[in-house]
Amino acid sequence: MFRNPNGMVPPRRYYLGAAALVLAGLVIGLGLSSGLGIQRDSDAQKPTLPAAVSSPAAPESPFVSVVDKALPAVVFIDVRKKVAARGEGEDPQAELFRRFFGDQQRRPQNVPSSGSGFIVDAAGHILTNNHVVSNADVITVTLNDKRTFKAKVVGADPASDVAVIQIEGDQLPFLKLGDSDRIRVGDWAIAIGNPLGMLRGSVTGGIISARGRANLNIFGSDDLAFQDFIQTDASINFGNSGGPLCNIRGEVIGINTAINPSGQGIGFAIPINLAKHVADQ
C-alpha cells in the first residue's frame, strides 16, 4: 500500500480521481485521432494504377496524298507492233522474238509490248516514251478506273525518247507538271507505272540520287542522241517506261525511261522540262 512521506494512507477518493483523469485522457485522445482522420493504412491496401491513356493516331504517310492525286491520271499502254524477224537496225523487240523462235522466222510478226504514260490535259494528251509506241500498229490505253481507249500518236522524238499520244474521252483526270530545274539531290521521288506489264498502278518511293546524268550505257539508249537524266533509287522496272516520276507535292518532275539491269536502285527519268519542250514542238 502506498504511503506518503508522513506515513498516511491516501483516501479512497484519491484513487477514484486518478482513474477518472486517465479515463478522460483516453477518451479525449481517441476523439482527436478520429477527428483529424489519423488512421494507419492497411498493409493489404495496394496503390491504384493510373488509368490507361490511348496513344495518338499514327501520322499519315506523305506519299498517300501523292498517290491520290497522281494514280488516276497514270495509264497502262498496250501496243501491238510489227517487227522483222531478222535484219540490222530492226526494232529491239525483234531480238527478243528471235531468241524464242530462231532465225527461221522471216516474215514480219505482230509482237505485243507495253508501257506506261500519264495524261497531261483534259484534251487527252498523254506523255510517254518513244520506245513504248514506236512502230505501233494499234495502241490501247487503259486508265486506273478501267476505262479503255484507242490512242493515236501525235508526235514522237527518238533523240530524246519522248512521245505524245492522244485519247478522246470525257472527264479525263490529268497531272500537274512541275519544274525539274528546281529539284535537288535528296528530294523525295515517287515512281508510278506498270512494271513488267502486269503490275498496274504500282507505286515506289525513293529520292533524287543525281541530276544531269549523260553518256550512259543503259538499256534502250542506243537511239538517244541527247541524255540529261534524273537518277533515282525509286524502283523502276520494264513496263515503268513512260510513267511519271513525281515530287512530294504530286507534280510530275520526270518521265521514267531507263534502267541499268546490272544495278539495283539505279533508274533514270527524262526531266519534265525537257519533255515539255519536246512535246510543245
Side-chain angles (χ1 to χ4, degrees), residues 15-240:
Y15 294 106
L16 292 176
L21 289 175
V22 172
L23 181 61
L26 181 61
V27 172
I28 293 173
L30 291 176
L32 289 174
S33 65
S34 63
L36 294 175
I38 301 174
Q39 182 178 0
R40 183 179 178 183
D41 290 337
S42 170
D43 293 335
Q45 186 176 1
K46 296 182 180 179
T48 304
L49 295 176
V53 179
S54 58
S55 59
E60 185 178 79
S61 165
F63 300 125
V64 172
S65 60
V66 176
V67 176
D68 289 342
K69 293 178 183 178
L71 189 57
V74 179
V75 303
F76 171 73
I77 301 176
D78 179 73
V79 175
R80 301 286 169 169
K81 58 176 68 177
K82 288 183 179 180
V83 298
R86 62 184 301 179
E88 297 296 330
E90 60 195 16
D91 190 283
Q93 294 285 348
E95 173 62 24
L96 296 176
F97 188 89
R98 187 163 50 250
R99 292 177 186 177
F100 284 103
F101 298 104
D103 287 337
Q104 70 272 17
Q105 300 292 333
R106 297 176 180 273
R107 294 180 299 174
Q109 302 292 327
N110 194 294
V111 176
S113 179
S114 64
S116 307
F118 52 97
I119 307 172
V120 296
D121 58 30
H125 290 102
I126 296 171
L127 277 177
T128 186
N129 286 136
N130 175 69
H131 74 261
V132 172
V133 297
S134 63
N135 302 319
D137 290 324
V138 179
I139 303 174
T140 304
V141 170
T142 303
L143 275 62
N144 191 60
D145 62 9
K146 310 302 182 182
R147 286 186 291 170
T148 301
F149 304 88
K150 295 298 182 183
K152 63 180 180 180
V153 177
V154 176
D157 179 39
S160 62
D161 201 15
V162 174
V164 180
I165 63 177
Q166 186 176 16
I167 60 176
E168 294 183 0
D170 298 325
Q171 298 181 340
L172 296 175
F174 57 90
L175 277 173
K176 181 179 179 181
L177 304 184
D179 185 354
S180 55
D181 289 339
R182 299 182 62 183
I183 63 174
R184 299 176 299 173
V185 174
D187 280 345
W188 286 114
I190 301 95
I192 306 176
N194 306 285
L196 309 181
M198 63 180 71
L199 304 176
R200 303 184 185 184
S202 293
V203 180
T204 56
I207 61 171
I208 301 297
S209 302
R211 298 177 54 186
R213 292 299 197 200
N215 302 316
L216 301 175
N217 183 18
I218 54 179
F219 181 85
S221 66
D222 296 340
D223 296 329
L224 291 176
F226 183 76
Q227 295 188 14
D228 182 26
F229 289 116
I230 299 169
Q231 180 184 333
T232 179
D233 65 347
S235 296
I236 297 174
N237 295 278
F238 294 105
N240 274 113

